[in-house]
Structure formats: structure tokens, C-alpha cells
């Protein structure tokens, strides 16, 4: 029995290492893409003189990335894990480009805020991921509320492109966004842990690892964006 428990623990540890390895790799790829876009002259393709200030290319990448991520999640168990990892890499590159305007504004207002936002996001992500993994409380009831909250945030973001929310409204949205994706981190971690014990097929576990990495990546990047936006809003 003891040997079986050790083997099981080693297996789930390897599973979690794959998840976080893919996720952190995606975060790094996003950061590299953003740096290349900013210092490689890519900003001129994302901005123009329209009312919103963004070019058609920016909107194509923004909404295309959203659709792509939804498609990748729906098809996660219908593609090979290696293909899923490539999809994650493509999505992280798209995110690296679309997050560039926010990074560029932060560089012009207060560059150190980028570091602060990253550290705060990393600490919150780590604490919530650990909580989701360790807690014995069933967090499944959060699923519907968090999904509704995420949809509300997406719709609010789209509306704000046309009708700006103002400083107070933007700050409230950012705070709600941080809360939603922090809870999503805990919820996803518990779901991934429980799913591992249910799935018996190794291929499915590898597919789930890629899907889990995508979910956690989205939560981390979203928290970073909202926290950085709060810093920008304050300045």
C-alpha cells in the first residue's frame, strides 16, 4: 500500500510539473513577444488615429485570440498533447502582442509598476494555486459563478472600447477581475487534481495537462493585466 501511494504521488507530481512547465513557458513566450513587439517597432501596427486608438490588426488579434482560446479548449481532448502544446504557444504569442499596448503605457507612466504587478500576480497566483491544491473544501460550486463573472468581464471590456468607463468604473472592473481570476486559479487547481485521479488513460492526462496549463496561464495573465491596469489608472 505504501509503495502504491508513493508511485501515485510521484505520478501526480510529474503531472503537475508538466502543467506548470507548460504554463510558465507560455508566460515567458508572452513576455518575449511583448518585448520584441515594443522594441522591434511593432507598436505602429497596433495603433492608429481612430476613436479608440487601436488598429484593425489589433482587433483581429484581440478577438481572434479569444476565439482561438475557446476553440483550443473545446478541442483539447481531440488533439495530440504535442499539438495542444503548439496551440498554447501560438495563443501565448498572440497574447504577447495584444498585451503590448498596456505594457507600453506602463513604460511611459511608471516602468517599475510592471515589476510590481508581476510580483503581486505571481504571489497571488501561487497562494491561490496552493490553496486549491490543498483545500478539502469542494470548490465546484464556484464554477458557474466564475464563468458568469468572466463573461461579464469580457462584455464589459468590449463595451469599454466604445464607451470608456471612467477612472472609478475601470478600477472597480480591475478589482473584480483580479478576484474572479484568483478564484479561478484555486478552482482550476482543485479540478485538475481531482480529474487526474479519475482519468486512467495517460494520453488523456497529458491532454488535460495542456488544457490545465492554458487555464492557469489565462488566469495569471488576466490577473497581471488587471493589476497593471490598476497601477496605470492610479497614475
Amino acid at each position: 500500500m505504501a509503495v502504491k501511494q508513493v508511485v501515485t504521488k510521484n505520478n501526480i507530481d510529474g503531472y503537475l510539473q508538466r502543467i506548470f512547465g507548460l504554463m510558465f513557458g507560455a508566460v515567458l513566450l508572452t513576455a518575449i513577444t511583448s518585448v520584441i513587439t515594443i522594441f522591434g517597432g511593432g507598436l505602429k501596427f497596433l495603433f492608429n488615429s481612430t476613436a479608440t486608438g487601436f488598429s484593425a490588426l489589433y482587433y483581429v488579434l484581440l478577438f481572434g485570440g479569444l476565439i482561438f482560446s475557446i476553440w483550443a479548449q473545446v478541442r483539447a481532448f481531440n488533439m495530440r498533447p504535442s499539438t495542444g502544446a503548439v496551440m498554447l504557444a501560438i495563443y501565448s504569442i498572440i497574447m504577447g502582442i495584444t498585451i503590448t499596448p498596456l505594457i507600453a503605457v506602463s513604460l511611459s507612466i511608471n516602468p517599475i509598476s510592471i515589476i510590481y504587478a508581476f510580483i503581486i500576480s505571481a504571489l497571488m497566483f501561487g497562494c491561490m494555486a496552493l490553496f486549491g491544491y490543498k483545500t478539502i473544501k469542494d470548490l465546484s460550486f464556484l464554477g458557474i459563478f466564475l464563468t458568469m463573472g468572466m463573461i461579464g468581464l469580457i462584455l464589459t471590456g468590449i463595451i469599454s472600447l466604445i464607451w470608456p468607463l471612467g477612472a472609478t468604473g475601470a478600477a472597480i472592473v480591475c478589482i473584480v477581475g483580479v478576484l474572479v481570476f484568483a478564484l479561478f486559479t484555486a478552482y482550476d487547481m482543485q479540478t485538475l487534481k481531482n480529474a487526474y485521479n479519475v482519468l486512467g488513460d495517460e494520453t488523456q492526462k497529458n491532454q488535460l495537462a495542456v488544457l490545465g496549463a492554458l487555464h492557469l496561464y489565462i488566469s495569471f495573465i488576466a490577473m497581471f493585466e488587471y493589476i497593471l491596469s490598476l497601477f496605470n489608472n492610479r497614475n
Side-chain angles (χ1 to χ4, degrees):
M1 179 64 69
V3 173
K4 183 178 180 180
Q5 289 177 344
V6 171
V7 171
T8 301
K9 184 179 186 303
N10 288 338
N11 288 343
I12 196 169
D13 284 347
Y15 164 74
L16 293 175
Q17 287 173 6
R18 288 197 297 274
I19 292 175
F20 286 109
L22 287 166
M23 180 218 152
F24 291 133
V27 171
L28 179 60
L29 190 54
T30 296
I32 293 172
T33 302
S34 184
V35 170
I36 292 174
T37 303
I38 292 174
F39 296 103
L43 281 174
K44 63 185 179 182
F45 298 106
L46 303 178
F47 290 107
N48 61 21
S49 58
T50 60
T52 61
F54 295 114
S55 67
L57 175 61
Y58 177 80
Y59 288 115
V60 169
L61 291 172
L62 181 66
F63 293 111
L66 176 62
I67 295 171
F68 182 81
S69 69
I70 294 173
W71 176 83
Q73 292 175 66
V74 171
R75 299 289 299 171
F77 290 100
N78 297 105
M79 62 178 72
R80 291 179 298 177
S82 58
T83 304
V86 172
M87 297 296 102
L88 176 59
I90 293 173
Y91 180 64
S92 65
I93 291 173
I94 295 173
M95 283 298 298
I97 298 173
T98 57
I99 201 177
T100 298
L102 176 62
I103 301 295
V105 170
S106 301
L107 286 172
S108 65
I109 296 176
N110 183 16
I112 197 68
S113 65
I114 299 173
I115 298 175
Y116 289 155
F118 183 84
I119 292 174
I120 294 171
S121 301
L123 290 174
M124 288 187 65
F125 177 87
C127 290
M128 295 306 292
L130 183 62
F131 171 75
Y133 182 76
K134 293 291 187 179
T135 186
I136 59 174
K137 182 176 178 59
D138 184 9
L139 302 179
S140 60
F141 72 95
L142 290 174
I144 183 64
F145 300 106
L146 294 177
T147 300
M148 291 172 61
M150 182 176 63
I151 293 173
L153 288 168
I154 292 173
L155 293 176
T156 302
I158 294 173
I159 293 172
S160 68
L161 293 173
I162 304 172
W163 294 290
L165 298 174
T168 302
I172 293 173
V173 170
C174 288
I175 292 171
V176 172
V178 172
L179 178 62
V180 166
F181 285 101
L183 290 173
F184 247 130
T185 301
Y187 171 81
D188 283 334
M189 273 302 299
Q190 185 177 81
T191 301
L192 290 168
K193 176 184 176 182
N194 293 339
Y196 178 85
N197 297 321
V198 174
L199 295 176
D201 185 84
E202 195 63 30
T203 298
Q204 288 185 329
K205 289 179 178 179
N206 288 329
Q207 291 169 327
L208 182 63
V210 177
L211 179 61
L214 174 59
H215 282 189
L216 294 176
Y217 166 82
I218 290 173
S219 292
F220 178 83
I221 292 297
M223 281 193 289
F224 172 74
E225 287 183 299
Y226 283 122
I227 291 172
L228 187 56
S229 295
L230 274 174
F231 281 121
N232 289 348
N233 187 54
R234 186 185 65 180
N235 291 318

